[in-house]
Amino acid sequence: MRTDSSPGTLPAREHLPATDAGRPVLDVVIPVYNEEKDLQPCVRRLHAHLTRTFPYSFRITVADNASTDATPLVAARLAAEIPGVRTVRLEQKGRGRALRTVWSASDAPVLAYMDVDLSTDLNALLPLVAPLISGHSDLAIGSRLARASRVVRGPKREFVSRAYNLILRGSLQARFSDAQCGFKAIRRDVAQALLPLVEDTGWFFDTELLVLAERAGLRIHEVPVDWVDDPDSTVHIVRTATDDLKGVWRIGKALAAGSLPLDRLARPFGDDPRDRELTDVPHGLARQLVGFCVVGGLSTLFYLLLYSAFRQAVGPQTANALALLVSAVANTAANRRLTFGVRGRGGAVRHQAQGLVVFGIGLALTSGSLIALNAAGDSPAHSTELAVLIAANLAATVLRFLLFRAWVFPDRAETGPLAVIAASPYDRPCRPTAHLSADEAADAVPRPRPVRPHDTDPGDAR
C-alpha cells in the first residue's frame, strides 16, 4: 500500500497487490472468554471455509481474554495443528482490548473479527473484506438490519438491538445501520490511525470505532448477513446496554467539545469523488446552505416560543429583543459547529461577538417591522405580530448567511481541501530569502496546511 501522504492525513486508498509473499492479506481475530466448548469447531469451520473460498493468504488469530477454563489449551492445540492459526493470550478481559492488541500488532493489510459462535453465515466474509482489498472502503460491517438480511433471534434481543441503533441515530447522528453485529473488518492503515482515539475496551469498542470513523469522513461499507441467534450466548444484555449508553454520552460530549483530533483520519484530496470541484459553485456552499436552513428553521421556532413566553410579561419590543438575543447566541453556536464545521473553543468568543453584530442587524429589521405595524393600526392582534416577525426574519436570513460565510466564519473557504491543493507551496511565489536571517527565511517558505475534518461532510460517509 502507498504510504506517502500530506501531514495529518491517511494515504489514498489503493487496491492491495494480488500477491504479497511473507504475510497474510487477511487476519481474522476471534476474541474468546471461556469458550472451550465452541472454540475448536469454530476455528476448524472458519479455516475450512477460507481455504475453500478465499483467494488470498489469510491468518486466524484466537485472542484469549483471560479465560479461566481450558480455552488456552484448546487454542494452543489448534495453533499447533492447523497452519495459519495462532493464539494470543491477554491477562485482562475485554473484547475491545483484545481487538486493539491484536490489530495493533498485526502485519496483515486487512483486519477482521467475528464472534466465536459463528452466528453470522460465513458466505458474507468475502463480500465483507472485498471492498477493503479493492481500496473502495475503509471499514466494513455486517448488518442484521439491512433489507436483504435474514435474521433468526428472539423478540428481546431484536428490541434491544433496534432500540440501541435508534439511540445512536438520534444522539450521535450515526448513519450505519448495525453497530453491534460481531462481524467487522478494517484496513490496517485506518486502524493504526483510528485505534489510538478509541477509549473503550469492552463491548462499546465497535460503536466508538464506527462513530469516529464516520465523523472523520471515512467510508463504511455494509454487508447484509444471514444471522442466527446463539441461545447459549453469555453476553449480559442489561449490563452491556448500560455500558453502551455511558459510552454514547462520553462520545457525544467529546464530539460536541471538538476534543477529538479527527483531522489525522482525513483522506487526501481527490480520494473521494465529493472532493472534486463543481463548476461555478464554491466548495461546500450547497452543504452550508442546507445546514444554515435547518439551523435557521429551528432557531426561528425557538425564537417564536421565547417571544410568546416573554410577551406575557413585557411589551412587544422588549420581548422581541430578549427572544432575539437568546436565539441569536444559540444560532451562532449551532451554525459554528454544524454549518461551518468549526470545532473546539478557539475563537468562540470572537464568533459570538460577531454573531451579536449580525443579531443587531436582525434586531433593527424586526424592531422596524414592529414599529411600522404599530404605526399602521392600534393594538394589532398577536397572530399579526407573529406573521410580521416571521417575514422580517426571513428577510434577514439571506444577509445573515452572507455575513456568516464571508465575515464570521471565513477560514473554511481558505483552508479547505480545494484551497490546500490550489495553494500548493510549489505554485506560490516565495519571498527572496538571501537577505533574511535563518529564522526569517524559514518563516518565508510557505507550508501546506493539513485538511481539516470539517472540510468534508462526514455525515455522508459510506
Side-chain angles (χ1 to χ4, degrees):
M1 290 184 292
R2 194 169 70 193
T3 58
D4 58 302
S5 63
S6 59
T9 64
L10 288 169
R13 290 185 296 259
E14 290 184 346
H15 197 299
L16 298 177
T19 59
D20 193 356
R23 66 172 179 173
V25 172
L26 173 66
D27 193 349
V28 183
V29 181
I30 305 176
V32 293
Y33 173 73
N34 289 348
E35 297 287 356
E36 60 181 1
K37 176 182 177 182
D38 294 333
L39 181 57
Q40 178 168 296
C42 164
V43 171
R44 292 190 180 277
R45 180 182 165 194
L46 175 60
H47 187 273
H49 177 83
L50 289 171
T51 302
R52 185 177 68 256
T53 64
F54 195 67
Y56 294 86
S57 58
F58 63 87
R59 177 197 297 136
I60 299 173
T61 302
V62 178
D64 177 21
N65 284 299
S67 296
T68 57
D69 63 358
T71 297
L73 299 177
V74 175
R77 185 168 60 250
L78 291 169
E81 295 176 359
I82 305 176
V85 175
R86 67 166 181 159
T87 179
V88 175
R89 168 75 177 182
L90 289 86
E91 299 303 329
Q92 292 179 289
K93 291 178 60 177
R95 183 180 66 171
R97 179 180 287 107
L99 293 177
R100 181 200 307 276
T101 301
V102 177
W103 281 357
S104 298
S106 179
D107 60 346
V110 176
L111 311 168
Y113 95 89
M114 63 180 59
D115 292 335
V116 69
D117 55 18
L118 294 185
S119 296
T120 304
D121 183 60
L122 292 178
N123 287 328
L125 182 55
L126 182 56
L128 182 79
V129 301
L132 309 186
I133 293 175
S134 69
H136 175 271
S137 300
D138 299 294
L139 300 91
I141 65 174
S143 174
R144 297 163 297 183
L145 303 181
R147 286 183 177 272
S149 299
R150 296 182 294 179
V151 177
V152 178
R153 61 177 167 182
K156 184 166 94 169
R157 285 183 176 271
E158 180 75 12
F159 172 79
V160 170
S161 178
R162 291 188 178 274
Y164 179 65
N165 283 282
L166 284 176
I167 290 174
L168 292 181
R169 288 176 174 268
S171 59
L172 300 179
Q173 288 79 51
R175 299 186 63 180
F176 47 85
S177 65
D178 191 352
Q180 295 174 307
C181 183
F183 195 71
K184 296 181 175 69
I186 185 172
R187 287 177 66 103
R188 181 167 60 94
D189 59 343
V190 177
Q192 289 175 341
L194 187 56
L195 289 178
L197 304 181
V198 180
E199 295 184 14
D200 192 80
T201 58
W203 292 96
F204 187 69
F205 175 88
D206 301 51
T207 301
E208 186 169 357
L209 187 82
L210 292 174
V211 169
L212 296 184
E214 187 174 70
R215 286 302 186 96
L218 301 181
R219 181 175 293 143
I220 301 174
H221 179 75
E222 296 197 10
V223 178
V225 297
D226 296 341
W227 194 85
V228 179
D229 188 17
D230 178 15
D232 299 324
S233 175
T234 58
V235 178
H236 194 288
I237 297 179
V238 176
R239 183 172 63 246
T240 301
T242 302
D243 292 340
D244 287 347
L245 292 178
K246 292 179 181 177
V248 169
W249 175 255
R250 174 174 57 82
I251 291 299
K253 289 197 302 181
L255 291 173
S259 60
L260 294 170
L262 298 181
D263 55 322
R264 72 177 61 176
L265 301 177
R267 288 291 186 184
F269 172 81
D271 184 71
D272 193 318
R274 291 171 300 169
D275 293 336
R276 297 170 188 167
E277 186 174 6
L278 301 177
T279 304
D280 298 328
V281 178
H283 184 69
L285 177 60
R287 188 190 65 80
Q288 287 182 355
L289 281 172
V290 172
F292 183 81
C293 289
V294 171
V295 171
L298 295 176
S299 298
T300 301
L301 292 177
F302 183 49
Y303 162 79
L304 293 175
L305 290 174
L306 290 175
Y307 178 82
S308 298
F310 291 144
R311 189 64 178 84
Q312 303 299 319
V314 297
Q317 292 289 1
T318 304
N320 173 62
L322 290 175
L324 198 57
L325 176 62
V326 176
S327 60
V329 172
N331 180 276
T332 300
N335 275 307
R336 180 179 188 270
R337 176 65 180 87
L338 301 177
T339 303
F340 298 95
V342 180
R343 295 184 173 91
R345 299 179 181 178
V349 175
R350 174 174 57 84
H351 292 154
Q352 283 292 349
Q354 292 172 313
L356 289 177
V357 175
V358 179
F359 150 76
I361 297 175
L363 178 62
L365 289 173
T366 54
S367 298
S369 65
L370 285 176
I371 293 174
L373 177 63
N374 291 324
D378 295 333
S379 301
H382 181 63
S383 58
T384 304
E385 285 184 353
L386 291 179
V388 170
L389 289 173
I390 291 173
N393 273 282
L394 290 177
T397 297
V398 174
L399 181 59
R400 186 183 303 122
F401 176 75
L402 294 177
L403 288 173
F404 273 172
R405 181 177 172 87
W407 180 49
V408 183
F409 308 108
D411 55 331
R412 186 184 191 281
E414 299 171 359
T415 59
L418 293 177
V420 171
I421 298 302
S424 170
Y426 303 105
D427 296 333
R428 289 178 289 172
C430 297
R431 294 166 49 198
T433 60
H435 63 285
L436 301 178
S437 66
D439 292 339
E440 291 174 330
D443 292 337
V445 178
R447 295 177 175 84
R449 286 173 289 185
V451 178
R452 299 186 303 175
H454 56 268
D455 290 326
T456 59
D457 187 1
D460 292 335
R462 308 303 286 170

